Amino acid sequence: MTWTSITENERESISRLRERLSSHFSTDGRHGPDDDNCVMVGPHTFRDIVLLRFLRGRDHVEHDAFDLLVEYATWRITYDVDLALTDSFVLQRISTEQQKKKYEIVSEADLGDRPAAFVFVGKHYKYERDLGEMRYLIIHVLERLVALAKPDQERDYEVAQILVYILKTYYPETLEHIIFVDSPWIFSACWTIIKQWLTPVTLEKVLFLTKSDLSKYVRSEAIPKGFAEEDDDDNQ
């Protein structure tokens, strides 16, 4: 995301959010190892940039941002999100799905040097997946993207719902674009359902492009060869 400068009112809100989080989770004001502009909840360090994202993602309604931050912290602990990039997480949580090579992550992929995940939906089959493992796979992929960014088959709506929910709830104001490339005509029916789960702000970030237009948003050399060569019948 392109960020505007933080305002004084936002700084004051962030300070209050930090104190409320410390009090709610009984952290005794523990801060992270690098600076004082953060608070630790369990193994996770809440830096001010994260608090700012949640604050802006909830239209600066401080109470709403706090409630979602509490849910976010609880979610990270419940699903071991802070371990998502470790070898043990991959081995124990997503080893089966990982072997199917359904995605590829490229750093500095788009024209703004942001990373991108290329998802090969043609390799995903609803009746050959475990929904719990898919949840952990989505977490793993999103955490990898965040780490890099620093600052006839049925359509699998259940996985789509998990993806949408995690993105809008736990990664607010993080997404730049969702790009559908050469989507087949049948996807229009799927999209009619999926778009109902998205906020107006997120809908504005959804693009439908042809392969020839993809280079307007993503560096040509960053597009995986396999992605460019997928059959037109596959939703990319």
Side-chain angles (χ1 to χ4, degrees):
M1 286 294 299
T2 301
W3 284 87
T4 56
S5 300
I6 186 172
T7 67
E8 188 58 36
N9 285 340
E10 286 176 330
R11 291 185 191 279
E12 293 174 1
S13 292
I14 287 170
S15 178
R16 289 191 293 269
L17 285 171
R18 198 188 309 127
E19 292 305 316
R20 289 184 68 183
L21 283 170
S22 295
S23 175
H24 182 87
F25 288 100
S26 301
T27 63
D28 298 322
R30 288 186 297 127
H31 295 296
D34 304 318
D35 57 68
D36 293 331
N37 296 322
C38 58
V39 62
M40 293 189 69
V41 176
H44 186 65
T45 301
F46 279 82
R47 300 193 179 282
D48 281 359
I49 188 65
V50 175
L51 304 189
L52 178 60
R53 281 178 169 160
F54 276 80
L55 183 65
R56 290 181 175 178
R58 284 299 177 266
D59 295 325
H60 295 88
V61 179
E62 202 170 304
H63 181 74
D64 289 350
F66 173 74
D67 286 346
L68 193 52
L69 279 163
V70 170
E71 183 180 346
Y72 172 63
T74 304
W75 170 77
R76 292 193 71 93
I77 293 171
T78 301
Y79 290 101
D80 292 328
V81 179
D82 285 281
L83 301 176
L85 303 184
T86 64
D87 291 340
S88 60
F89 185 97
V90 173
L91 181 64
Q92 297 172 17
R93 305 286 195 183
I94 62 173
S95 59
T96 301
E97 287 296 331
Q98 192 81 326
Q99 292 173 11
K100 297 177 183 177
K101 302 185 183 301
K102 295 180 178 180
Y103 71 94
E104 183 172 337
I105 292 178
V106 179
S107 61
E108 299 182 1
D110 77 355
L111 302 184
D113 288 334
R114 288 172 289 260
F118 294 84
V119 180
F120 309 109
V121 183
K123 295 182 179 180
H124 178 77
Y125 299 93
K126 178 173 182 177
Y127 299 108
E128 296 179 7
R129 54 78 172 155
D130 178 88
L131 193 59
E133 188 166 349
M134 285 302 304
R135 184 188 303 273
Y136 283 113
L137 181 67
I138 290 170
I139 291 171
H140 173 75
V141 171
L142 291 175
E143 284 292 301
R144 282 185 63 186
L145 287 171
V146 169
L148 285 171
K150 295 212 167 175
D152 195 88
Q153 169 191 355
E154 289 188 24
R155 303 304 169 185
D156 200 337
Y157 291 111
E158 293 163 298
V159 169
Q161 278 187 300
I162 290 175
L163 173 60
V164 170
Y165 181 78
I166 289 177
L167 276 173
K168 73 179 183 181
T169 306
Y170 302 119
Y171 295 87
E173 290 297 296
T174 300
L175 185 70
E176 186 71 21
H177 293 298
I178 297 176
I179 301 176
F180 293 97
V181 182
D182 288 340
S183 57
W185 66 268
I186 196 172
F187 181 70
S188 59
C190 305
W191 178 241
T192 299
I193 295 173
I194 294 172
K195 70 180 182 181
Q196 297 179 48
W197 307 331
L198 305 177
T199 65
V201 172
T202 302
L203 279 172
E204 291 179 357
K205 300 177 181 180
V206 177
L207 304 173
F208 290 86
L209 303 177
T210 62
K211 289 177 183 176
S212 60
D213 288 331
L214 186 57
S215 60
K216 295 178 181 179
Y217 295 88
V218 180
R219 299 183 190 280
S220 299
E221 63 271 20
I223 301 173
K225 182 178 180 181
F227 187 85
E229 293 178 349
E230 274 205 342
D231 293 336
D232 290 337
D233 289 337
D234 290 334
N235 193 16
Q236 299 186 31

